[in-house]
Amino acid sequence: RKTAVGLRLRSSLGSSLLLPEESYVKDLLRSRLAGLLQKLLAPLEHDSGSPFQIVLKFDHEGCRRECDALVRLWPESFSRVTGKRWKRGRKADVNNVSVKRALEKATAQDCERLLPRTEDLCSFSVEYSHKPLYVAGRYNKFSRVLPQTPWLIDGVRKGESSVQELICARVAEFVSADETKFSSSGREDVDVRMLGSGRPFLLELVNPRKPSLATEELALLQDSINSSTRDIAVRGLAVVGRETASLLKEGEEDKQKRYSALIWTSQELVPSDVDFLADIKDLKLQQKTPIRVLHRRTLATRERTVYSLRGEFADSHHFRLFLSTQAGTYIKEFVHGDFGRTQPNLRGLMGQEVDILTLDVEEIVLDWPPHSS
């Protein structure tokens, strides 16, 4: 349509007429329609930066016929791979870019013939949408059988629910969003609890009918989630800007995480046997991708740091291990060694067989939500 309008203007106003290169036709139409809509929706005012958008989608049968003609004349312009030889029967990739490529090959006479003047009415549909609403917070997980996200193995679901679903279902219902996208600062294994102040997470609420949340409403939403289950709890819910999404991933390997674990030992212990752990500082590990995650992680050797260790005697074959590590450290593998794939490891440090019975994340050191300390 842009090309067709340009041809009509030049033919009526002169071939020397200079026209902008970009989508001036769409811009003119948008400007005209915005003025008309503002009158209809008064006293509301048009603002191009408004988070609420009205989208008009136009459809014209004549455009389809014209595109078909362009495909027949310059099929190579509609190849999915630029420059690839066109094969008969291949489906044409008709879009703004491919149509523009074809029109660049057309002469003025071609365009006059292929883009005839038309007064046929077009049809259009109206869609209303609001820019996403972002809600940040932290969650605790108290269950050792609840995954963070829906758990599927070969298309078969494992478990009845997940942290993501328990949070997102309530929030999406509260703001009437079309979709809820969940992201977090790392993840814990299904059998690991998330304690302390919780794991930072961010929700992107797509097209919310309720586009804002007051402090009182966030408190109600938080209470609604926490009263619906004993498996998780959320805290610190806050509305944030889109730019905060990057903060969850920035410095992913620089963040510190604190853990506690119940350790079993093959040999009998006395309380003093674990005292030496407190003297270990900034221990550098070389960790090969653990066997248990090789099916979904790239094989590599990663250097990670254990900043501090502390042992607390429990009984003759058990003690509790407290450790602070660099984010991304595989704690289970640090304990038992993963058949020597993590070096050094707790098994070697203690000179005996050890294994991890339970693991808890005690703290993730991150200023989150961003506005709170």
Side-chain angles (χ1 to χ4, degrees), residues 135-345:
V135 176
R138 285 176 176 258
Y139 74 79
N140 293 109
K141 181 168 85 76
F142 308 117
S143 168
R144 295 197 188 275
V145 295
L146 182 72
Q148 186 197 64
T149 56
W151 189 12
L152 300 175
I153 299 179
D154 296 329
V156 179
R157 175 161 187 151
K158 303 294 182 180
E160 297 181 358
S161 189
S162 65
V163 174
Q164 174 181 326
E165 291 166 300
L166 290 174
I167 296 174
C168 291
R170 292 278 173 167
V171 179
E173 180 183 8
F174 197 86
V175 300
S176 299
D178 287 347
E179 182 184 0
T180 304
K181 299 178 181 180
F182 176 92
S183 57
S184 66
S185 178
R187 60 190 300 137
E188 65 283 332
D189 291 340
V190 63
D191 60 345
V192 175
R193 296 187 301 179
M194 179 66 239
L195 306 179
S197 62
R199 185 178 298 277
F201 71 88
L202 179 68
L203 303 180
E204 179 184 349
L205 304 166
V206 179
N207 193 22
R209 274 61 171 184
K210 184 177 179 57
S212 62
L213 291 170
T215 302
E216 297 79 7
E217 292 173 314
L218 288 167
L220 287 174
L221 179 56
Q222 183 169 299
D223 290 342
S224 174
I225 295 171
N226 293 344
S227 63
S228 68
T229 177
R230 294 183 178 182
D231 291 336
I232 69 163
V234 298
R235 65 177 71 197
L237 295 185
V239 175
V240 296
R242 179 182 180 180
E243 67 281 357
T244 60
S246 62
L247 297 178
L248 276 181
K249 305 302 178 184
E250 284 181 1
E252 187 70 35
E253 295 183 0
D254 297 327
K255 290 197 291 286
Q256 287 192 31
K257 296 186 178 181
R258 300 178 188 135
Y259 300 86
S260 66
L262 181 61
I263 306 299
W264 167 87
T265 65
S266 60
Q267 301 174 20
E268 288 193 3
L269 294 174
V270 295
S272 60
D273 287 340
V274 297
D275 291 346
F276 79 99
L277 294 173
D279 297 326
I280 298 175
K281 305 295 182 184
D282 297 329
L283 180 66
K284 299 294 183 183
L285 308 182
Q286 299 298 319
Q287 290 198 303
K288 288 185 178 179
T289 304
I291 293 174
R292 63 186 173 93
V293 299
L294 266 177
H295 64 285
R296 55 184 171 88
R297 295 282 174 86
T298 303
L299 176 60
T301 300
R302 302 170 178 86
E303 183 176 276
R304 295 291 185 262
T305 302
V306 176
Y307 300 113
S308 65
L309 291 167
R310 180 171 63 86
E312 188 177 278
F313 180 81
D315 59 40
S316 59
H317 283 281
H318 300 88
F319 72 95
R320 185 158 291 279
L321 177 67
F322 298 90
L323 61 169
S324 175
T325 75
Q326 180 182 359
T329 304
Y330 291 104
I331 305 301
K332 295 175 180 178
E333 284 67 27
F334 165 66
V335 172
H336 55 63
D338 197 25
F339 300 100
R341 298 169 66 85
T342 290
Q343 294 290 345
N345 53 65

Side-chain angles (χ1 to χ4, degrees), residues 4 7-8 11 107-117:
L7 289 171
R8 302 296 171 263
S11 63
T107 64
Q109 291 74 21
D110 291 331
C111 292
E112 287 282 359
R113 176 168 53 86
L114 295 171
L115 307 175
R117 184 189 301 273

